Amino acid sequence: MWTNENPRILTPYRDIFRMAFRALERNRLRTTLTMLGMMIAIAAVICTVAVGQGGTRQIEDQLTALGINMIWIEAGGRNVNGVRSGNGQTKTLTVEDAAAIQAKVQEIVEVAPNVDGSMQVVYGNENWFTRFRGVSSEYFDIRNWHQERGALFTSMDSQHEANVCLLGRTVSDALFGSDDPLGKTIRLQNEPFTVIGTMEPKGLSAMGSDQDDVVMIPYTTAMKKLKGIYWLDDIYASSVSTSAIVPAIDEIGGLLRQRHHLRPDEPDDFNIRHPEEMLQAREAASWALTLMLAGIACISLLVGGIGIMNIMLVSVTERTREIGVRLAVGATDKDIQKQFLAEAVAVSLLGGAAGILFGIGASAAVSRILEWPSLISPVAIAMAVIFSVTVGILFGYYPARIASRLDPIEALRYE
C-alpha cells in the first residue's frame, strides 16, 4: 500500500535523474556517440538471438511437417559378388512386412506401405515431370498432411486399386494454374487418374527438396498398374510417443530380420531411419551458432561499457569545479556519486532503448534480405534492458566514486 512517505522517497531520485539528463543534454554530441556503442551492442544481441530463434522455429516446423513420431523403413542395398548397390535396390520389403509391424510391434500406432517413382504427368496440352507416391490412407496421419481441397482416398480405394489421385500444390499449379483441378482426369503412364483432392502446401524438406511436387495415389495402384512389382520401396510408421521411437526401431529391426530369414552374420537388407535425429542435430548446431554470435555481440556490450566509463572519467575531469561547488554548498559524497552514476545509467538506458528499436528493424531487414525467419524474443528484449542498466552501474561506478572523493578545496582551485 502506498504511504505518504513514498513521494518524498522518490523525489530525490527524480531530481538526480533530472540533473543527469540536463548534464547529458549540455554535451549532446558526446552523449550521442557514447550511446551509439551501447545501441549497436544491444541491437547486435537482439538481432543474433532473433535470427537464431527464427532458425530454431523453422527446424521445429520442419520436424512437425515430417510427421508425428515418424519411423521410416527403407529397402536396403544389394550385395552381389562383393559389389553393393545403393539403397532401395532390394525386393524383400513387402506389404506383409508392413502388416506384421502393425500387428506385432506394440509401440507402433499406424503403418503405411509406400511405392514411389518419377514420371511425366499429362493434362490436356500441359505436362509436368514429377514424383508419384503410392501410399495407404494411414500415410496422411503419419506425415501429418491434410488435404486443402476435396477428399483423401480411403482404404477401399487401395483395396480396389482405384485410379484416383491427390495433387501437391506445385503439380496443381503447373498443370491447372488457377483452374479447379477437382474432378479432372490426368494421365500417368497412359493410365487415367481422377483428381479427388489437393494437398496443403508442405514446402521444402529438410534436404531442400520440394515436398509439394508430388502426386499421391493408392499404393496398390502404383504397384500393379504403374510399376508392376510385388515389393515396397518404403514403409512409414508412427510410434505411440517420442520416447517409444528407439525401442520401436529395435523391435522392427529384429522382426524384419526374422521375417527375411537373415543369418546373424548377414547385414540388414533394409534401413530404419528416424529423420527427427537429423533435424535435432541441426537444431543443436543452430543453437550453438546463436550462442556464439550472441557471445560475440556481448563483447560489444563490454566495449560499449568501457566507452561509458571513459567518457564519464573525462566528464569528472571537466566538471571538477562544478563538483567542488556542489560539495561546498552542502552536497554529500553520496549525492555526487548518485549523480554521476545516474548519468551513466541514463546513457546506457537511452542507448539500450535505441538499440532495441534498431535491433528489431535489423532483424526484419535480415529476414527479408536473406529470406531467413527471425523471431523477436521478449526475453531478449528484457535481457537487453537489464544489460543496459547493469553496464551503466558497473562501468559508471568507478567514475562516480572518483567524483565523490574529490577534495572540495582542491576542486574549487581546479582550472
Side-chain angles (χ1 to χ4, degrees):
M1 181 179 294
W2 290 96
T3 66
N4 294 332
E5 293 180 359
N6 285 329
R8 289 197 294 273
I9 294 173
L10 294 175
T11 298
Y13 291 99
R14 292 198 193 102
D15 294 339
I16 289 170
F17 276 97
R18 189 180 297 113
M19 292 176 63
F21 281 110
R22 192 176 302 155
L24 294 174
E25 190 177 3
R26 286 200 298 265
N27 297 279
R28 292 182 181 178
L29 180 59
R30 187 168 66 188
T31 300
T32 301
L33 293 176
T34 307
M35 287 169 47
L36 190 60
M38 185 59 60
M39 181 189 78
I40 294 174
I42 294 296
V45 172
I46 291 176
C47 186
T48 53
V49 173
V51 172
Q53 289 195 338
T56 301
R57 174 64 64 84
Q58 185 181 47
I59 292 173
E60 290 174 352
D61 292 341
Q62 289 178 347
L63 190 62
T64 302
L66 278 176
I68 302 173
N69 304 323
M70 189 182 77
I71 298 172
W72 171 27
I73 303 104
E74 174 191 37
R78 300 178 63 187
N79 193 338
V80 181
N81 297 325
V83 179
R84 187 169 177 81
S85 62
N87 292 327
Q89 299 301 308
T90 61
K91 301 177 181 180
T92 55
L93 209 58
T94 64
V95 176
E96 289 73 23
D97 288 336
I101 292 172
Q102 176 77 77
K104 297 183 179 181
V105 181
Q106 296 182 352
E107 291 85 1
I108 294 300
V109 179
E110 290 182 301
V111 172
N114 175 81
V115 176
D116 55 42
S118 299
M119 62 177 54
Q120 207 79 12
V121 55
V122 179
Y123 172 72
N125 296 325
E126 301 292 338
N127 67 89
W128 185 257
F129 188 78
T130 186
R131 189 170 189 82
F132 71 87
R133 189 176 291 279
V135 295
S136 67
S137 57
E138 289 81 9
Y139 175 84
F140 304 107
D141 290 330
I142 295 172
R143 289 295 312 276
N144 194 27
W145 203 348
H146 309 287
Q147 78 272 20
E148 184 176 44
R149 301 185 59 197
L152 303 174
F153 51 76
T154 64
S155 58
M156 293 297 295
D157 293 319
S158 296
Q159 291 177 18
H160 293 92
E161 303 168 19
N163 283 26
V164 293
C165 67
L166 300 160
L167 303 182
R169 171 67 65 83
T170 301
V171 178
S172 178
D173 290 344
L175 294 181
F176 297 96
S178 58
D179 293 340
D180 185 3
L182 296 186
K184 301 295 196 312
T185 300
I186 63 174
R187 301 188 71 82
L188 283 171
Q189 197 170 289
N190 296 322
E191 283 284 339
F193 284 82
T194 302
V195 180
I196 61 172
T198 58
M199 303 303 296
E200 288 182 347
K202 272 274 189 179
L204 298 179
S205 69
M207 303 302 294
S209 61
D210 184 3
Q211 297 182 90
D212 301 316
D213 192 0
V214 67
V215 177
M216 302 281 193
I217 62 177
Y219 74 95
T220 50
T221 307
M223 291 175 67
K224 298 181 180 180
K225 295 184 179 180
L226 295 188
K227 299 189 71 173
I229 60 176
Y230 60 85
W231 63 88
L232 300 175
D233 294 314
D234 311 276
I235 298 173
Y236 290 92
S238 177
S239 65
V240 294
S241 65
T242 303
S243 60
I245 290 177
V246 173
I249 288 175
D250 294 338
E251 196 168 345
I252 290 171
L255 176 63
L256 291 180
R257 287 188 62 85
Q258 180 184 1
R259 289 184 54 81
H260 295 178
H261 307 291
L262 297 176
R263 295 190 304 271
D265 59 334
E266 287 185 296
D268 293 340
D269 58 356
F270 55 87
N271 301 306
I272 303 179
R273 304 184 187 277
H274 175 35
E276 284 85 341
E277 292 178 352
M278 176 182 64
L279 288 180
Q280 287 169 356
R282 285 182 56 188
E283 183 176 1
S286 174
W287 181 241
L289 180 61
T290 300
L291 289 179
M292 183 185 71
L293 293 175
I296 295 173
C298 287
I299 294 175
S300 60
L301 275 175
L302 179 64
V303 174
I306 293 173
I308 291 175
M309 178 184 287
N310 182 49
I311 293 300
M312 294 307 298
L313 286 172
V314 172
S315 180
V316 169
T317 303
E318 289 181 347
R319 295 159 61 187
T320 300
R321 285 184 61 85
E322 175 191 331
I323 295 170
V325 171
R326 289 201 61 196
L327 290 171
V329 298
T332 65
D333 294 351
K334 288 186 177 180
D335 292 332
I336 301 299
Q337 187 171 347
K338 287 178 182 178
Q339 179 186 348
F340 280 87
L341 196 58
E343 290 181 22
V345 172
V347 170
S348 297
L349 283 175
L350 291 173
I356 290 172
L357 297 177
F358 185 61
I360 294 173
S363 301
V366 169
S367 179
R368 189 177 300 109
I369 293 171
L370 301 181
E371 297 183 354
W372 182 267
S374 62
L375 183 64
I376 303 297
S377 170
V379 175
I381 293 177
M383 291 300 295
V385 175
I386 294 172
F387 273 134
S388 299
V389 175
T390 304
V391 167
I393 293 173
L394 290 179
F395 289 91
Y397 177 78
Y398 179 71
R401 183 172 176 79
I402 293 296
S404 68
R405 300 184 71 176
L406 288 177
D407 182 85
I409 305 299
E410 294 297 326
L412 289 170
R413 290 176 180 176
Y414 184 81
E415 294 294 337

